[in-house]
């Protein structure tokens, strides 16, 4: 089993400059390889270049430009080329599936923020000086960088990555661990219903409050973005100090909201995994839920459009994105797997319209956002609790129909 660790690094000024140059040169390699593929397809009878051909050119590239390409790890450059190869593989997969393809794009220096080393000891070394009380990680071309290791790394380190987030630098490790001991059985099963008013409601009648981190930070973020708009858009190396501070302010606020969402998702998922053996949830298609409504042309006015509820849908989309359902469900599945728990995703259709008492399905049963009143038997309950009960029943039925 692989587990990831993320630690804050404390590079010196010179090391931070070297790390930035490493990202810049890997970005240049990525864009150059992308340009080569585009040119080959357009001008050489639609020839397709593969990873193996571009990887074979690395030796010559490093010899031609020893100052910018030859000083970095050969293996990390191969990973960068594989990253581009995966982007093209995903592009062709979407083309075959009939989805919106999204051709791989050139990456700006600010967008290319990660360099991966595929093996500990190949261009990098985790804790290269074990007798030093300060934890360090060594990178080829950079040196030994101090690391704020806030927790022990269990298992053998497999890969090492460098990531830049604003002015901060992080090292991300993946360590191979033996299978963890599962948590002791509790005999409890629960269904959860994701929502906006409440982050989730469970089948036992409990609720988890929606923290709405994005909405709480909206005022500060709007002020920071207004301050940033006062400056013209220029390259990073042409920014004034005030411009750079405005850019950093916006980035810091976004990162804070992202960390708050992650923290809330981790704590909520951990509570569920500790208390229940089986957790059932709706199989939500979040990408479809946050799509903007299609425009409605006005047949009576050329070039005009009818109201389509886009403004109200935009507010709902912001609330869904702010809740972070997708991140939470990903974390829940990962924690459940480590703890030996079972997580089942069920079809969400009619979970909020079905009466748990008599089974009657009707849109009129949901009289309000939080109120459920069955028009057949008169059953009254909180709508999120009703949805969670129906999710749990569907999850138990699915498990019984497909025993492990």
């Amino acid at each position: 089993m692989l587990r990831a660790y993320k630690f804050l690094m404390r590079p010196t000024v010179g090391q931070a400059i070297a790390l930035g140059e490493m990202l810049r040169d890997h970005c240049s390699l990525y864009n150059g390889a992308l340009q080569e593929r585009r040119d080959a397809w357009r001008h050489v009878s639609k020839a397709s270049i593969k990873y193996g051909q571009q990887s074979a050119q690395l030796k010559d590239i490093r010899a031609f430009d020893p100052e910018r390409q030859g000083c970095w790890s050969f293996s990390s450059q191969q990973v960068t080329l594989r990253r581009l190869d995966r982007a093209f593989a995903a592009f062709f997969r979407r083309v075959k599936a009939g989805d919106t393809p999204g051709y791989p794009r050139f990456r700006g220096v600010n967008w290319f923020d990660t360099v991966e080393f595929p093996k500990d000891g190949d261009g990098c070394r985790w804790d290269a000086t074990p007798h030093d009380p300060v934890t360090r990680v060594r990178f080829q071309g950079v040196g030994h960088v101090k690391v704020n290791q806030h927790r022990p790394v269990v298992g053998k380190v497999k890969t090492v990555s460098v990531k830049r987030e604003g002015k901060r630098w992080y090292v991300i490790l993946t360590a191979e661990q033996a299978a963890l001991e599962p948590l002791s059985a509790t005999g409890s099963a629960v269904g959860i219903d994701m929502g906006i008013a409440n982050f989730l409601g469970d089948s036992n009648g409990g609720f988890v409050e929606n923290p709405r981190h994005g909405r709480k930070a909206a005022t500060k973020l709007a002020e920071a973005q207004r301050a940033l708009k006062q400056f013209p858009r220029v390259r990073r190396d042409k920014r004034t100090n005030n411009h750079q501070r405005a850019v950093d302010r916006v980035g810091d606020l976004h990162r804070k909201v992202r960390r708050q969402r992650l923290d809330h998702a981790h704590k909520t998922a951990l509570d569920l995994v500790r208390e229940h053996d089986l957790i059932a949830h709706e199989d939500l298609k979040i990408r479809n839920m946050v799509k903007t409504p299609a425009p409605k042309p006005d047949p009576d006015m050329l070039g005009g459009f009818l109201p389509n509820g886009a403004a109200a849908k935009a507010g709902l989309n912001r609330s869904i994105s702010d809740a972070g359902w997708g991140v939470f469900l990903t974390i829940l599945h990962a924690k459940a797997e480590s703890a030996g728990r079972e997580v089942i995703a069920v079809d969400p259709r009619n979970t909020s319209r079905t009466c748990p008492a008599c089974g009657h399905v009707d849109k009129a049963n949901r009289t309000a956002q939080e109120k459920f009143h069955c028009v057949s038997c008169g059953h009254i309950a909180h709508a999120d609790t009703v949805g969670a009960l129906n999710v749990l029943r569907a999850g138990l039925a699915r498990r019984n129909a497909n025993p492990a």
Side-chain angles (χ1 to χ4, degrees), residues 197-224:
N198 293 303
F199 181 72
L200 64 83
D202 63 41
S203 54
N204 297 325
F207 299 94
V208 175
E209 182 182 359
N210 186 1
R212 304 178 188 272
H213 297 300
R215 178 177 292 185
K216 292 178 181 177
T219 302
K220 292 183 179 180
L221 186 57
E223 293 175 355

Side-chain angles (χ1 to χ4, degrees), residues 165 168 210-222 225 248-266 318-324 327:
E165 294 184 6
R168 298 185 179 185
N210 186 1
R212 304 178 188 272
H213 297 300
R215 178 177 292 185
K216 292 178 181 177
T219 302
K220 292 183 179 180
L221 186 57
Q225 289 174 331
D248 294 339
R249 174 62 175 164
V250 174
D252 290 342
L253 288 172
H254 279 294
R255 278 187 291 275
K256 181 177 180 180
V257 172
R258 184 173 69 251
R259 290 195 299 268
Q260 287 175 327
R261 287 199 191 106
L262 279 174
D263 180 70
H264 179 262
H266 276 285
R318 283 194 296 270
S319 297
I320 293 175
S321 300
D322 191 17
V327 172

Side-chain angles (χ1 to χ4, degrees), residues 256-300:
K256 181 177 180 180
V257 172
R258 184 173 69 251
R259 290 195 299 268
Q260 287 175 327
R261 287 199 191 106
L262 279 174
D263 180 70
H264 179 262
H266 276 285
K267 291 177 179 178
T268 305
L270 184 59
D271 290 340
L272 289 172
V273 167
R274 284 176 173 172
E275 297 174 3
H276 308 286
D277 295 338
L278 170 67
I279 305 168
H281 68 84
E282 296 171 302
D283 187 12
L284 301 175
K285 307 301 181 184
I286 301 174
R287 179 175 296 181
N288 296 335
M289 295 174 66
V290 297
K291 284 185 177 180
T292 56
K296 297 181 179 179
D298 189 348
D300 300 328

Side-chain angles (χ1 to χ4, degrees), residues 11-31:
T12 62
V13 174
Q15 289 173 340
I17 294 174
L19 289 170
E21 291 176 349
M22 180 172 66
L23 287 182
R24 180 200 64 192
D25 295 339
H26 278 73
C27 178
S28 177
L29 177 65
Y30 182 95
N31 289 335

Side-chain angles (χ1 to χ4, degrees), residues 30 38 77 118 132 138 144 157 212 234 284 292 306 328 332-333 338 366 387 400:
Y30 182 95
R38 287 164 59 99
Q77 292 172 328
D132 192 333
R138 181 188 178 279
H144 293 83
V157 175
R212 304 178 188 272
V234 296
L284 301 175
T292 56
L306 298 174
F328 167 74
L332 177 63
H333 279 262
S338 300
R366 187 80 177 262
N400 295 334

Side-chain angles (χ1 to χ4, degrees), residues 71-88:
C71 60
W72 310 118
S73 166
F74 187 91
S75 298
S76 67
Q77 292 172 328
Q78 286 182 316
V79 174
T80 298
L81 294 179
R82 287 189 182 276
R83 178 176 173 179
L84 176 63
D85 192 62
R86 289 196 299 270
F88 270 95

